[in-house]
C-alpha cells in the first residue's frame, strides 16, 4: 500500500472511530435542549484530545511505553492504583453503555427488544477480540463508522439557517428556562464524551501494538490533525440536527430513537439506514476498544504480557481480563439499567477522572530522559497547561454540579 | 518508605518493568531488598522483589492486606515470601525497564498467569492451546 | 485518597440520583411538579407526533417508529404514575392533580394507541392518531402554561 493510501485510510478510520455512544447521546441531547450554545465545548474537547493523543502517541512511539506503564512508574503503586481503579470503573460503565448502544441500534432496526440483542452483541465482540487481527478490527469499524457522514448530509438537506446556527454557537447563552448549573453540567458531559479515558489508553497502547517508531509520528499526526477535527465536525452536525428539528418541538432526547428522527426527517429511510449502520459501527468499535483498554491498563500496571497482537496463550491474563470485563458489563446492561442514562453518568465520571491520567502524561511529555529532543514544544506546553486548568476545573465541578442539578434535570 | 541514602537508586528501580533475557515481561519491581553492611555504611540493594507479596506491604492499608491475601492464595506451596530476584541477575537498566539474564519461566513470577492459562483460557475454543 | 473514596463518590452519586423523588411540601412545589410532568410528557407526545408523521410519509421504517414510540410511552406512563403517587398537600393541589390527570391520561392513551397501530402496521389509522396527538400536545401546552 502506498504511503498516501495508508495515510488516507488512517484518517478515514480516525473520523469513523471518533464518535461513540458518548457523543451520540450527549451531542443530540444538548442540541435539543440548549441549541448550539454548547458547540464550543466540542471544539474545546477535540482540541484537548488532539494534544493528549499526540503526547501519549509520541511517548508510546519513542519509548515503547503506554499510559499505565508511565502512570505506575511516575505515581508509584498507591496513587497508581487509585488511578487504575478509577479508570477501570469508568471503563466498565463506558463498556456497558457502548454495548447498550449497539443493542439499541439493533432494536431500532428490528423492533426486537435491545435486551435480547445484548448477549449476541457481547458474544460477537468477544469473537472479534479473540480472533480478528488488530488492524482489521480497527479499520472495519472505523470505515463503517464513516456512514455517520449522513449527519452532515442530513443537515445540508434541511437548509437550516446557517447564520442562525453560527450565531447560536458563537454567542453562547443559556436558553430561557434553563439554569446555569444545568448548562455547565452538560458542558462537562460533552467535554467528558470528547475525551473519554479509554480513547487515550487505546491510542497509546495501540501505537505499541502496531509497533510505531519515531518514523510513524508524521502519519499519526496526520490522523490526529485531520481525523479528529472531522470527527468533531460530525458531532457538531449531529448537535445541529437536534437543534434544528427537535428543539423547536420541545422534544428532549432520552432515547437514541429520538436522536435519529432529524435524519429521517431530512433523508428518509435510506438516511436512517446509513445512520443505523454508523451507530452500530461506532458503538461496536468503541465497545471493543474499551474492552481491550481494560486489559491494557491492568496489564501495564502489573507488568504482564499484554496486547491483541499476542495470542491468547501468550497473554492469558490480558485476555482473561478482557473476557471478564465484557462479561460483567453485559450483566450490567442486562439489569435493564437505561443505557442512555448510563452513558450520561459515564461521560461525566470520565471528566472527573481525567486529571489522573492527563497530568502524568503532560509531565512525561516534558521529560528529556524519556523523550530526548521530542519533548513538548513551548506552544504545546502553553496549550497543555491551559487544558490542564480546564480539565481540573471540570473535574472538580462535575460532582457538585451533578448533585446540584440532580444529574441534569 | 524512607531510605535517604539509597532513595535515588530505589527510584531508578522501583516500579520498573522487569523483562527476561528475551525481553518478555515478567512483572514489575514491586519492592527491593536492602542489606546494611555489618561494617556499617549505607545499605546496599541485594535483590528486587516481585509479586503481590512484595507489592501488598507497599500499598499499605486494607488494600495492601487484601493484595497480600491474594498473593498467599497464589503461592500455597509453602513460603508466603515475595519472589526474590538477586541483583546479580540484572544485566541492564534501561529507562523504565530492568532486563534480566534468565528466562521468565525460571523467575517464578508467573503462577497467576499459568493458573489463568490452564483454568480459563485453554478450555475456550480457539485458544491455540493444545489440551 | 484511596479506593474507599472512589466507592464513596459512587455511593453519593447513587444517593443523589435517588434524591430526585423528594416529598412535595406546598401547593407551589406541587404546581412545579405538575408543570415538569406536563413538559416531559409533552416531549413524549411531540416525539410520537413527529415519528408518526414520518412513518405516514414513509420516511421512517415501522420497526424504528414502533420502538421509539414504545420508549416514550413508557416514559410518559412512569412520569404520570410518579406524579400520582404524590400526596397533594392542599385542596388546591388536589384539584390541580385531578385536572392534570384529565390532560395526561388522554395523552398517554394516544401514545399507546399509536404504538399499537404501528406494531400492527395499521398505517390508515395514523392520520386520526396524529390528530389525537396534536390535540394532546395542545392540551399539555395549555396545562403547562397554566401552572408555570
Amino acid at each position: 500500500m502506498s504511503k498516501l493510501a495508508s495515510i488516507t485510510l488512517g484518517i478515514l478510520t480516525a473520523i469513523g472511530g471518533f464518535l461513540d455512544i458518548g457523543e451520540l447521546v450527549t451531542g443530540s441531547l444538548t442540541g435539543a435542549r440548549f441549541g448550539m450554545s454548547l458547540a464550543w465545548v466540542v471544539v474545546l474537547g477535540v482540541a484537548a484530545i488532539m494534544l493528549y493523543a499526540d503526547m501519549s502517541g509520541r511517548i508510546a512511539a519513542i519509548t515503547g511505553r503506554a499510559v499505565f506503564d508511565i502512570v505506575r512508574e511516575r505515581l508509584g503503586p498507591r496513587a497508581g492504583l487509585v488511578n487504575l481503579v478509577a479508570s477501570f470503573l469508568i471503563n466498565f460503565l463506558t463498556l456497558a453503555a457502548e454495548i447498550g448502544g449497539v443493542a439499541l441500534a439493533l432494536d431500532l432496526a428490528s423492533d426486537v427488544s435491545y435486551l435480547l440483542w445484548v448477549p449476541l452483541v457481547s458474544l460477537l465482540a468477544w469473537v472479534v477480540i479473540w480472533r480478528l487481527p488488530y488492524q482489521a478490527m480497527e479499520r472495519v469499524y472505523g470505515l463503517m463508522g464513516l456512514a455517520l457522514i449522513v449527519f452532515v448530509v442530513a443537515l445540508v438537506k434541511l437548509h437550516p439557517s446557517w447564520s442562525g446556527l453560527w450565531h447560536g454557537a458563537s454567542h453562547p447563552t443559556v436558553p430561557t428556562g434553563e439554569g446555569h448549573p444545568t448548562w455547565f453540567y452538560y458542558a462537562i458531559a460533552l467535554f467528558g464524551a470528547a475525551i473519554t479515558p479509554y480513547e487515550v489508553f487505546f491510542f497509546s497502547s495501540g501505537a505499541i501494538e502496531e509497533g510505531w517508531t519515531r518514523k510513524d509520528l508524521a502519519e499519526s499526526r496526520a490522523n490526529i490533525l485531520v481525523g479528529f477535527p472531522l470527527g468533531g465536525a460530525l458531532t457538531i452536525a449531529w448537535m445541529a440536527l437536534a437543534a434544528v428539528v427537535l428543539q423547536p418541538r420541545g422534544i428532549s432526547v432520552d432515547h437514541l430513537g429520538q436522536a435519529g428522527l432529524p435524519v429521517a426527517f431530512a433523508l428518509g429511510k435510506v438516511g436512517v439506514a446509513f445512520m443505523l449502520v454508523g451507530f452500530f459501527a461506532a458503538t461496536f468499535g468503541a465497545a471493543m476498544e474499551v474492552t481491550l483498554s481494560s486489559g491494557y491498563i491492568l496489564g501495564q500496571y502489573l507488568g504482564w504480557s499484554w496486547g491483541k497482537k499476542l495470542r491468547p496463550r501468550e497473554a492469558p491474563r490480558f485476555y482473561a481480563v478482557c473476557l471478564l470485563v465484557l462479561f460483567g458489563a453485559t450483566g450490567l446492561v442486562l439489569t435493564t439499567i437505561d443505557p442512555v442514562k448510563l452513558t450520561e453518568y459515564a461521560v461525566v465520571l470520565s471528566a472527573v477522572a481525567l486529571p489522573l491520567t492527563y497530568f502524568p502524561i503532560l509531565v512525561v511529555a516534558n521529560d528529556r530522559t524519556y523523550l530526548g529532543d521530542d519533548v513538548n514544544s513551548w506552544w504545546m506546553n502553553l496549550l497543555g497547561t491551559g487544558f490542564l486548568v480546564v480539565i481540573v476545573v471540570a473535574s472538580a465541578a462535575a460532582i457538585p454540579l451533578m448533585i446540584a442539578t440532580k444529574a441534569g434535570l | 518508605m524512607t531510605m535517604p541514602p539509597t532513595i535515588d537508586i530505589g527510584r531508578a528501580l522501583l516500579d520498573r518493568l522487569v523483562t527476561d533475557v528475551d525481553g518478555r515481561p515478567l512483572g514489575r519491581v514491586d519492592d527491593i531488598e536492602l542489606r546494611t553492611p555489618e561494617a556499617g555504611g549505607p545499605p546496599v540493594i541485594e535483590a528486587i522483589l516481585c509479586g503481590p507479596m512484595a507489592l501488598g506491604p507497599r500499598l499499605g492499608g486494607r488494600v495492601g492486606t487484601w493484595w497480600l491475601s491474594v498473593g498467599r492464595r497464589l503461592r500455597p506451596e509453602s513460603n508466603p515470601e515475595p519472589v526474590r530476584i538477586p541483583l546479580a541477575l540484572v544485566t541492564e537498566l534501561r529507562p523504565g525497564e530492568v532486563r534480566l539474564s534468565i528466562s521468565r519461566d525460571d523467575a517464578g513470577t508467573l503462577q497467576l498467569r499459568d493458573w489463568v492459562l490452564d483454568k480459563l483460557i485453554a478450555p475456550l475454543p480457539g485458544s491455540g492451546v493444545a489440551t | 485518597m484511596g479506593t474507599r473514596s472512589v466507592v464513596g463518590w459512587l455511593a453519593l452519586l447513587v444517593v443523589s440520583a435517588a434524591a430526585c423523588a423528594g416529598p412535595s411540601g406546598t401547593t407551589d412545589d406541587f404546581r412545579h411538579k405538575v408543570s415538569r410532568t406536563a413538559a416531559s410528557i409533552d416531549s413524549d407526545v411531540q416525539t410520537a407526533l413527529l415519528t408518526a408523521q414520518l412513518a405516514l410519509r414513509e420516511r421512517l421504517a415501522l420497526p424504528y417508529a414502533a420502538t421509539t414510540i414504545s420508549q416514550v410511552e413508557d416514559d410518559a406512563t412512569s412520569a404520570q404514575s410518579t406524579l400520582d403517587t404524590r400526596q397533594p398537600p392542599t385542596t388546591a393541589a388536589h384539584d390541580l392533580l385531578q385536572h392534570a390527570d384529565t390532560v395526561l391520561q388522554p395523552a398517554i392513551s394516544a401514545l399507546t394507541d399509536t404504538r399499537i397501530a404501528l406494531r400492527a402496521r395499521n398505517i390508515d389509522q395514523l392520520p386520526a392518531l396524529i390528530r389525537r396527538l396534536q390535540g394532546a400536545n395542545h392540551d399539555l401546552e395549555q396545562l403547562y402554561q397554566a401552572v408555570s
Side-chain angles (χ1 to χ4, degrees):
Chain A
M1 192 163 35
S2 79
K3 192 83 186 157
L4 187 67
S6 154
I7 291 177
T8 314
L9 194 58
I11 289 172
L12 292 178
T13 309
I15 302 170
F18 186 82
L19 275 80
D20 70 355
I21 190 73
E23 277 95 1
L24 293 176
V25 167
T26 56
S28 182
L29 191 156
T30 52
R33 203 161 157 181
F34 306 106
M36 296 306 283
S37 67
L38 286 173
W40 60 274
V41 181
V42 178
V43 176
L44 188 70
V46 170
I49 185 108
M50 283 167 72
L51 182 71
Y52 192 6
D54 181 71
M55 291 193 295
S56 50
R58 184 153 31 97
I59 293 169
I62 289 171
T63 67
R65 311 184 51 209
V67 172
F68 257 84
D69 209 338
I70 306 267
V71 164
R72 164 86 191 257
E73 191 180 306
R74 297 299 293 209
L75 300 183
R78 273 184 74 88
L81 185 65
V82 171
N83 212 321
L84 179 74
V85 170
S87 301
F88 209 84
L89 280 175
I90 291 162
N91 254 9
F92 187 73
L93 294 182
T94 310
L95 178 56
E98 305 286 357
I99 292 171
V102 184
L104 288 175
L106 293 168
D107 186 344
L108 287 172
S110 64
D111 198 18
V112 171
S113 167
Y114 80 98
L115 289 170
L116 292 176
W117 286 109
V118 167
L120 284 173
V121 168
S122 303
L123 188 67
L124 182 63
W126 174 247
V127 170
V128 171
I129 286 172
W130 195 241
R131 302 299 289 184
L132 203 68
Y134 179 87
Q135 225 174 23
M137 175 197 85
E138 205 189 3
R139 296 237 154 114
V140 165
Y141 295 101
L143 293 178
M144 263 171 83
L146 278 180
L148 293 179
I149 286 176
V150 74
F151 294 167
V152 177
V153 179
L155 185 63
V156 170
K157 185 82 188 300
L158 283 174
H159 301 297
S161 152
W162 296 105
S163 61
L165 288 175
W166 169 249
H167 188 268
S170 57
H171 298 76
T173 46
V174 182
T176 44
E178 297 282 3
H180 275 83
T182 317
W183 193 70
F184 279 112
Y185 176 72
Y186 279 110
I188 291 173
L190 264 178
F191 191 69
I195 35 181
T196 317
Y198 84 85
E199 289 165 352
V200 173
F201 305 150
F202 184 76
F203 196 78
S204 121
S205 309
I208 291 165
E209 292 248 45
E210 292 186 346
W212 281 8
T213 61
R214 174 191 301 241
K215 282 195 307 243
D216 301 298
L217 282 179
E219 195 174 329
S220 143
R221 285 220 160 115
N223 290 351
I224 291 173
L225 282 173
V226 185
F228 285 21
L230 289 177
L234 291 186
T235 311
I236 289 179
W238 181 230
M239 181 187 271
L241 284 172
V244 171
V245 177
L246 304 180
Q247 193 189 21
R249 291 175 167 78
I251 295 178
S252 66
V253 173
D254 301 309
H255 304 284
L256 213 48
Q258 291 170 304
L261 291 176
V263 172
F265 188 77
L267 300 172
K269 286 181 182 170
V270 177
V272 173
F274 271 92
M275 178 185 76
L276 289 177
V277 168
F279 279 179
F280 174 82
T283 49
F284 191 76
M288 285 181 302
E289 292 182 5
V290 188
T291 307
L292 290 170
S293 293
S294 307
Y296 288 149
I297 62 177
L298 196 61
Q300 286 156 12
Y301 178 87
L302 290 169
W304 298 345
S305 295
W306 54 265
K308 191 165 151 39
K309 271 272 163 68
L310 299 175
R311 286 212 290 268
R313 65 181 152 83
E314 296 165 319
R317 289 169 295 186
F318 168 77
Y319 278 93
V321 169
C322 291
L323 179 61
L324 292 175
V325 165
L326 196 56
F327 197 73
T330 306
L332 180 59
V333 193
L334 288 177
T335 61
T336 73
I337 188 170
D338 176 7
V340 171
K341 275 272 165 275
L342 196 59
T343 305
E344 290 176 35
Y345 286 117
V347 293
V348 172
L349 292 177
S350 292
V352 175
L354 204 53
L356 294 174
T357 42
Y358 181 83
F359 184 65
I361 290 297
L362 184 61
V363 170
V364 170
N366 279 295
D367 191 332
R368 285 185 182 273
T369 57
Y370 288 87
L371 291 177
D373 289 337
D374 291 300
V375 288
N376 277 359
S377 59
W378 65 269
W379 62 267
M380 281 182 177
N381 280 328
L382 197 66
L383 276 177
T385 313
F387 289 140
L388 181 66
V389 173
V390 174
I391 284 169
V392 168
V393 169
S395 164
I399 299 282
L401 281 175
M402 181 183 271
I403 293 166
T405 64
K406 293 175 179 169
L409 277 178
Chain B
M1 290 177 60
T2 48
M3 312 167 289
T6 55
I7 192 84
D8 289 333
I9 307 171
R11 272 205 158 160
L13 275 176
L14 277 175
D15 296 312
R16 297 296 165 93
L17 185 67
V18 186
T19 54
D20 76 349
V21 65
D22 301 317
R24 297 177 302 176
L26 54 83
R28 284 191 173 269
V29 181
D30 290 317
D31 206 346
I32 48 181
E33 186 183 299
L34 299 170
R35 181 175 56 83
T36 314
E38 280 163 28
V44 288
I45 297 175
E46 284 278 283
I48 56 182
L49 305 175
C50 295
M53 302 305 299
L55 189 58
R58 273 185 77 214
L59 290 172
R62 211 181 295 171
V63 177
T65 317
W66 182 78
W67 210 273
L68 273 175
S69 70
V70 171
R72 285 201 195 91
R73 287 281 158 75
L74 292 172
R75 313 200 61 193
E77 56 272 41
S78 53
N79 56 335
E81 291 283 312
V83 177
R84 187 176 176 280
I85 298 167
L87 205 62
L89 294 178
V90 173
T91 54
E92 206 181 337
L93 282 180
R94 302 182 180 191
E97 186 181 335
V98 178
R99 184 66 73 97
L100 304 183
S101 59
I102 52 169
S103 163
R104 70 174 179 179
D105 303 315
D106 303 325
T109 60
L110 298 178
Q111 289 97 339
L112 177 64
R113 185 198 106 104
D114 295 341
W115 185 85
V116 168
L117 183 60
D118 286 349
K119 302 285 184 217
L120 203 69
I121 297 298
L124 290 172
S127 64
V129 184
T131 44
Chain C
M1 187 74 180
T3 41
R4 250 172 298 162
S5 49
V6 174
V7 173
W9 277 121
L10 284 177
L12 195 60
L13 207 158
V14 172
V15 171
S16 63
C20 299
S24 28
T26 63
T27 312
D28 270 357
D29 286 346
F30 197 79
R31 187 188 291 276
H32 182 64
K33 290 207 163 68
V34 172
S35 108
R36 273 241 303 269
T37 308
S40 119
I41 295 184
D42 194 30
S43 157
D44 300 327
V45 168
Q46 287 272 22
T47 303
L49 187 56
L50 179 58
T51 306
Q53 284 166 339
L54 291 168
L56 182 63
R57 282 161 32 209
E58 291 190 17
R59 300 187 74 77
L60 193 57
L62 293 182
Y64 189 119
T67 301
T68 304
I69 292 187
S70 140
Q71 285 167 342
V72 294
E73 181 199 354
D74 288 348
D75 291 353
T77 310
S78 85
Q80 195 210 8
S81 64
T82 308
L83 185 68
D84 280 347
T85 53
R86 311 245 184 244
Q87 186 64 41
T90 57
T91 336
H94 179 80
D95 295 345
L96 177 60
L97 180 60
Q98 282 205 322
H99 170 63
D101 275 339
T102 63
V103 176
L104 302 181
Q105 200 50 57
I108 290 170
S109 58
L111 291 173
T112 307
D113 293 345
T114 313
R115 190 246 310 155
I116 292 169
L118 283 169
R119 284 251 158 85
R121 303 185 165 262
N122 281 333
I123 306 295
D124 45 340
Q125 291 182 6
L126 282 180
L129 286 164
I130 285 171
R131 281 193 297 279
R132 271 178 69 191
L133 288 167
Q134 281 165 336
N137 168 235
H138 175 81
D139 295 347
L140 281 162
E141 273 169 12
Q142 282 205 326
L143 173 65
Y144 181 78
Q145 299 292 340
V147 291
S148 5

